[in-house]
Amino acid sequence: GKAGFADGRGDEARFNDSRGVVLTGTGEYAVSDFGNHAIRMMTDEGEVRTLVGNGEAGFADGVGEAARFNNPTGLGVLPNGDLVVADQGNNAIRLVTMEGSASTLVGNGTAGFADGAGEAVRLNTPTDVAVDGEGVIVVADMDNNRLRKIVGKEVTTMAGSSERGSADGAGAGARFNKPITVALDERGRVL
């Protein structure tokens, strides 16, 4: 189909490189519209509406069109129904309520590597998230070659190191080469 940025039904709706999709507790699908820097909602009937963002890249918490993202990718759903967004271009993990309010969970827009909490956390091109039933978030931190874990607002490194590779092991002994997708199986194991 033709790329663009338009809400509507069926072929009236336009996306620009949609990347992530997740079923929400409302029965709608949330879609990360990478090229439009927005999070969109879609019903089973094909009705599309914009939840947050307005098509312009940026980094701003806010409601609806006032919120700004920079190439959002992976999506997850917290137990309370809020969306978790890997805001790839902003090197941040963002939260979005079903009412359309966006906030920053961790990161401040600067690429790097640092565990910690809130704005002190540094990610480098986070591309995907997975959320377990307790609300623990696993992040594929692509350019850090690591899997990161968020509990509350605290980030720790689960596995990987700055050295790229393909090696089994525990913690920093494991090696990844730009992990881009993460999922949890039925037992909560990270895939």
Side-chain angles (χ1 to χ4, degrees):
K2 186 177 177 183
F5 187 47
D7 290 346
R9 181 181 276 277
D11 62 1
E12 296 171 356
R14 295 283 182 268
F15 293 88
N16 186 3
D17 195 6
S18 53
R19 295 282 176 102
V21 63
V22 66
L23 180 63
T24 70
T26 66
E28 291 179 289
Y29 295 92
V31 180
S32 60
D33 195 351
F34 183 84
N36 284 324
H37 316 289
I39 305 301
R40 317 282 295 282
M41 301 298 290
M42 184 175 66
T43 67
D44 282 334
E45 294 78 33
E47 186 72 35
V48 175
R49 66 183 171 87
T50 302
L51 184 62
V52 288
N54 75 347
E56 297 176 15
F59 188 28
D61 292 344
V63 178
E65 292 183 356
R68 295 287 182 275
F69 292 81
N70 188 357
N71 299 131
T73 53
L75 298 171
V77 180
L78 288 171
N80 70 0
D82 289 350
L83 295 172
V84 179
V85 181
D87 194 358
Q88 179 178 311
N90 284 323
N91 302 297
I93 303 300
R94 314 282 297 282
L95 300 178
V96 178
T97 67
M98 288 295 101
E99 292 76 35
S101 179
S103 61
T104 302
L105 180 62
V106 296
N108 74 351
T110 303
F113 173 74
D115 286 339
E119 291 184 5
V121 172
R122 295 293 177 269
L123 303 167
N124 194 349
T125 318
T127 54
D128 200 13
V129 293
V131 182
D132 75 10
E134 303 297 315
V136 174
I137 303 165
V138 178
V139 179
D141 193 4
M142 184 177 81
D143 285 339
N144 278 324
N145 301 303
R146 292 174 168 97
L147 297 180
R148 314 285 289 279
K149 179 168 72 171
I150 305 173
V151 179
K153 289 190 173 192
E154 188 74 27
V155 176
T156 57
T157 298
M158 293 181 70
S161 75
S162 60
E163 184 181 325
R164 280 189 209 172
S166 176
D168 293 341
R175 295 288 180 269
F176 298 98
N177 188 355
K178 295 187 175 277
I180 59 170
T181 303
V182 64
L184 301 174
D185 71 9
E186 68 282 350
R187 292 175 28 198
R189 295 177 297 191
V190 178
L191 306 173

